[in-house]
């Protein structure tokens, strides 16, 4: 495996477990003990410090410092286990736990001071712990490597991220339900190919977003099952550790069964990245609808002042930048999935520093998606729909959105669908050439198009009738939309 560094402190820490106290360690390691510089903790086998160019590219603290909570939680579980198994003496465990609490407070209160030698969050926490509690801090890393440590931290982070994201999605879903309750019975055109196709209830369209977000939430809710802690650098550890205990304490279902897999796999990260990409894609499409609906050509929706933007030159502009950015930001989120997969493509088994780059991609996707969810919620909280404009677009006589109703009417009277489709097509052509709506065609024209057609078909030719007739499961009938609203409220509030 790549990292010989880790074996150094582990061997140091083996001493107290078998001999007694830490004097032997300090004696052998006197030069290093004088310093608690994070970098020095790792550089025993080198002469001098690290080249600044390498330090700059290698340093992950600027982005992984956000793992401090998870890192400290992992260390707590680890050191408690070291105590329970007798690997570390109880007083050292208590001292380390006390120190971890202090480090945690420093982070939580924004008082944690990073040192130039802190390569990553793991070294920063350990360095500070040692400053605060003395040499006991140096015992924490027994039976552990940063390889299993970072894999554990990351999975804990994925779980926290998953909870936050699902909650954010719920907020947007509830906001959509509020709109269904308020404006759901308005009728607007459903578009295919950006051509007006059939009338649909606004509530049905809004509930479609609720459903899509539900699938996204299901994906986001999947969390890592296995705990990598105890895998060491990749082959396990010589210490009699209790991996069941740490897994349980950290809320995992089980310890990961293979130490090499544990430090190599970023599968859980990919799964969250995929779920985030799906959710961002959903939001990008919702954004696209909002952009269209707010356009003058549609005029179906108007965003409130706080969620609209102006133009630097055209004083009249009222731009839907938030909705446009939903489209664009989704690119960043789905790129993270691509980045994570690419990082691992062709990577030999085991831990490699390449894997450090999983975090910027993942964190960026997470931050971006949360931003997207927040702005979606803000826009939906401050949008007005223009029911008259939507209705006018449905009832525009040149739209022929009710042509399918005629075909269906014929089918109910025994005509094959293909024959009915063709006859209705002829009627549309005739209506178009006369410049009238289908409902305005004279009786003889109806009959000429198909012998089974009679004037009673006109009762089917209103958008309300078209919508009301779609009562089968999943259809846009008002009773369906109302029932769905009730069901969703019961489910997510
Ligand atoms: N900062 C590292 C990362 O994020 C931690 C693991 C370092 N392991 C090592 N063998 N150098 O991946």
């Amino acid at each position: 495996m790549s990292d010989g560094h880790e074996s150094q402190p582990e061997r140091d820490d083996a001493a107290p477990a078998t001999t007694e106290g830490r004097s032997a360690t300090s004696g052998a390691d006197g030069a290093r003990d004088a310093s608690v510089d994070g970098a020095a903790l790792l550089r025993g086998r080198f002469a001098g410090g690290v080249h600044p160019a390498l330090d700059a590219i290698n340093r992950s603290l600027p982005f992984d410092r956000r793992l401090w909570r998870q890192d400290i939680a992992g260390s707590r579980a680890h050191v408690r286990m070291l105590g329970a198994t007798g690997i570390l003496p109880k007083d050292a465990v208590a001292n380390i736990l006390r120190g971890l609490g202090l480090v945690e407070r420093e982070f939580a209160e924004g008082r944690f001071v990073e040192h130039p030698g802190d390569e990553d969050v793991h070294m920063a926490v350990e360095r500070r712990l040692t400053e605060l509690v003395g040499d006991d801090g140096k015992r924490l890393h027994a039976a552990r490597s940063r390889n299993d440590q970072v894999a554990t931290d990351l999975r804990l982070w994925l779980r926290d991220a998953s909870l936050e994201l699902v909650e954010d999605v719920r907020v947007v879903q509830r906001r959509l339900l509020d709109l269904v309750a308020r404006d759901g019975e308005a009728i607007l055109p459903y578009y295919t190919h950006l051509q007006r196709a059939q009338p649909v209830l606004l509530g049905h369209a809004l509930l479609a977003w609720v459903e899509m977000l539900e699938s996204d939430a299901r994906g986001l809710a999947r969390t890592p099952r296995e705990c990598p802690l105890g895998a060491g650098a990749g082959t396990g550890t010589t210490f009699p550790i209790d991996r069941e205990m740490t897994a349980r304490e950290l809320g995992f279902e089980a310890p990961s069964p293979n130490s090499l897999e544990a430090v190599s796999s970023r599968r859980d990260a990919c799964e969250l990245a995929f779920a985030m990409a799906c959710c961002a894609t959903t939001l990008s499409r919702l954004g696209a609808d909002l952009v269209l609906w707010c356009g003058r050509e549609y005029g179906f929706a108007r965003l409130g002042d706080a969620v609209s933007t102006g133009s630097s030159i055209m004083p009249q502009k009222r731009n839907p930048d938030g909705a446009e950015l939903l489209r664009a930001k989704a690119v960043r989120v789905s790129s993270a999935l691509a980045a994570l997969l690419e990082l691992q493509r062709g990577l030999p088994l085991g831990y490699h520093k390449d894997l450090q780059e999983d975090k910027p991609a993942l964190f960026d996707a997470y931050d971006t998606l949360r931003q997207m969810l927040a702005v979606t919620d803000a826009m939906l909280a401050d949008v007005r729909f223009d029911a008259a404009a939507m209705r006018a677009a449905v009832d525009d006589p040149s739209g022929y959105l009710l042509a399918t109703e005629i075909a269906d009417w014929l089918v109910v009277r025994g005509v094959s669908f293909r024959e009915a489709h063709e006859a209705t097509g002829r009627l549309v052509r005739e209506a178009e050439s006369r410049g009238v709506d289908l409902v305005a065609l004279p009786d003889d024209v109806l009959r000429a198009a198909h012998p089974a057609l009679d004037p009673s078909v006109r009762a089917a030719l209103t958008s309300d009738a078209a919508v009301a007739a779609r009562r089968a499961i999943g259809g846009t009938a008002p009773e369906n939309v109302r029932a769905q609203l009730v069901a969703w409220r019961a489910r997510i509030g």
Side-chain angles (χ1 to χ4, degrees):
M1 272 343 81
S2 66
D3 199 351
H5 301 160
E6 263 64 49
S7 59
Q8 192 71 39
E10 282 167 16
R11 259 190 269 118
D12 292 349
D13 281 339
T18 46
T19 60
E20 211 275 294
R22 59 204 84 121
S23 50
T25 334
S26 329
D29 237 358
R32 258 198 286 157
D33 282 357
S35 155
V36 280
D37 180 345
L41 295 175
L42 306 179
R43 295 196 60 80
R45 57 109 61 238
F46 300 110
V50 68
H51 191 288
L54 173 58
D55 181 59
I57 199 171
N58 193 34
R59 173 178 302 275
S60 57
L61 187 59
F63 54 84
D64 68 16
R65 76 186 311 279
R66 68 191 287 169
L67 292 175
W68 64 266
R69 264 191 203 86
Q70 293 79 12
D71 198 70
I72 291 171
S75 287
R76 275 206 180 98
H78 181 65
V79 76
R80 283 201 187 108
M81 181 279 292
L82 293 180
T85 50
I87 297 168
L88 279 192
K90 298 273 185 265
D91 59 335
V93 171
N95 202 19
I96 291 171
L97 285 172
R98 182 182 62 82
L100 287 171
L102 297 173
V103 178
E104 182 175 51
R105 278 245 298 281
E106 290 188 358
F107 271 108
E109 292 166 8
R111 289 188 288 110
F112 187 89
V113 182
E114 294 174 5
H115 277 206
D118 296 341
E119 185 181 302
D120 55 27
V121 67
H122 323 295
M123 299 316 301
V125 169
E126 191 181 326
R127 186 264 309 156
R128 184 63 184 141
L129 171 74
T130 306
E131 282 171 359
L132 290 168
V133 307
D135 280 354
D136 277 339
K138 298 179 180 178
R139 299 173 169 222
L140 169 63
H141 209 56
R144 184 175 77 173
S145 151
R146 277 185 299 161
N147 297 355
D148 59 340
Q149 190 178 357
V150 73
T152 306
D153 289 6
L154 193 64
R155 290 189 199 184
L156 290 172
W157 181 86
L158 291 169
R159 192 169 65 203
D160 294 342
S162 152
L163 286 172
E164 303 279 359
L165 288 167
V166 170
E167 197 33 59
D168 286 359
V169 170
R170 291 278 174 256
V171 168
V172 172
Q173 285 180 306
R174 288 188 199 109
R175 193 70 78 182
L176 285 160
L177 295 183
D178 291 345
L179 293 177
V180 176
R182 192 186 73 188
D183 298 323
E185 311 252 328
I187 295 188
L188 76 159
Y190 156 63
Y191 294 78
T192 65
H193 314 268
L194 274 191
Q195 309 292 313
R196 290 177 192 163
Q198 291 173 337
V200 70
L201 288 191
L202 177 60
H204 198 55
L206 297 170
L207 285 169
W209 295 116
V210 175
E211 293 284 350
M212 291 176 83
L213 287 169
E214 185 62 18
S215 308
D216 297 334
R218 257 200 305 276
L220 291 167
R222 288 187 55 164
T223 51
R225 295 181 46 252
E226 291 172 355
C227 182
L229 192 60
T235 61
T237 174
T238 56
F239 294 90
I241 58 173
D242 183 348
R243 291 195 60 202
E244 300 281 355
M245 177 181 169
T246 44
R248 208 178 321 115
E249 171 147 355
L250 292 171
F252 291 98
E253 284 176 34
S256 47
N258 183 298
S259 56
L260 277 171
E261 181 273 344
V263 301
S264 306
S265 174
R266 292 296 180 270
R267 172 71 191 221
D268 292 312
C270 286
E271 292 204 4
L272 187 72
F274 174 65
M276 290 194 290
C278 289
C279 185
T281 302
T282 300
L283 296 177
S284 78
R285 298 180 68 177
L286 176 55
D289 266 6
L290 280 176
V291 171
L292 288 175
W293 291 2
C294 289
R296 186 85 181 87
E297 278 61 30
Y298 284 71
F300 296 171
R302 181 182 169 94
L303 290 168
D305 289 0
V307 285
S308 298
T309 43
S311 153
S312 64
I313 175 170
M314 298 167 282
Q316 85 285 9
K317 288 303 289 294
R318 179 181 199 86
N319 292 331
D321 289 27
E324 293 171 82
L325 287 167
L326 286 183
R327 294 187 306 212
K329 294 280 187 186
V331 179
R332 275 172 82 149
V333 180
S334 45
S335 303
L337 173 61
L340 279 174
L341 292 170
E342 279 299 287
L343 261 183
Q344 294 167 76
R345 182 171 56 82
L347 203 63
L349 188 63
Y351 177 84
H352 307 270
K353 207 50 177 278
D354 310 49
L355 293 175
Q356 178 165 283
E357 289 293 311
D358 56 0
K359 285 173 282 299
L362 208 49
F363 294 161
D364 184 67
Y366 169 80
D367 293 339
T368 304
L369 181 55
R370 292 204 71 189
Q371 244 181 9
M372 291 172 71
L373 287 158
V375 81
T376 304
D377 181 50
M379 290 190 296
L380 294 176
D382 197 4
V383 67
R384 293 270 135 211
F385 293 106
D386 187 337
M390 293 192 282
R391 168 76 71 167
V394 170
D395 291 341
D396 175 355
S398 62
Y400 306 111
L401 275 76
L402 302 174
T404 316
E405 311 316 301
I406 299 183
D408 287 356
W409 188 94
L410 282 167
V411 169
V412 169
R413 282 150 188 86
V415 181
S416 77
F417 183 77
R418 277 293 147 240
E419 194 182 323
H421 184 284
E422 203 196 326
T424 311
R426 277 196 298 273
L427 278 178
V428 170
R429 186 137 53 101
E430 183 61 28
E432 220 167 28
S433 73
R434 291 170 180 240
V436 297
D437 198 353
L438 290 166
V439 77
L441 287 171
D443 297 356
D444 59 317
V445 172
L446 295 180
R447 218 157 269 126
H450 197 284
L453 261 183
D454 68 57
S456 71
V457 72
R458 294 202 188 95
L461 297 184
T462 70
S463 42
D464 292 287
V467 163
R470 284 163 169 72
R471 276 185 301 269
I473 293 174
T476 186
E479 65 212 66
N480 282 3
V481 170
R482 278 179 227 131
Q484 289 286 308
L485 176 60
V486 170
W488 275 110
R489 284 279 197 226
R491 212 161 137 190
I492 61 171

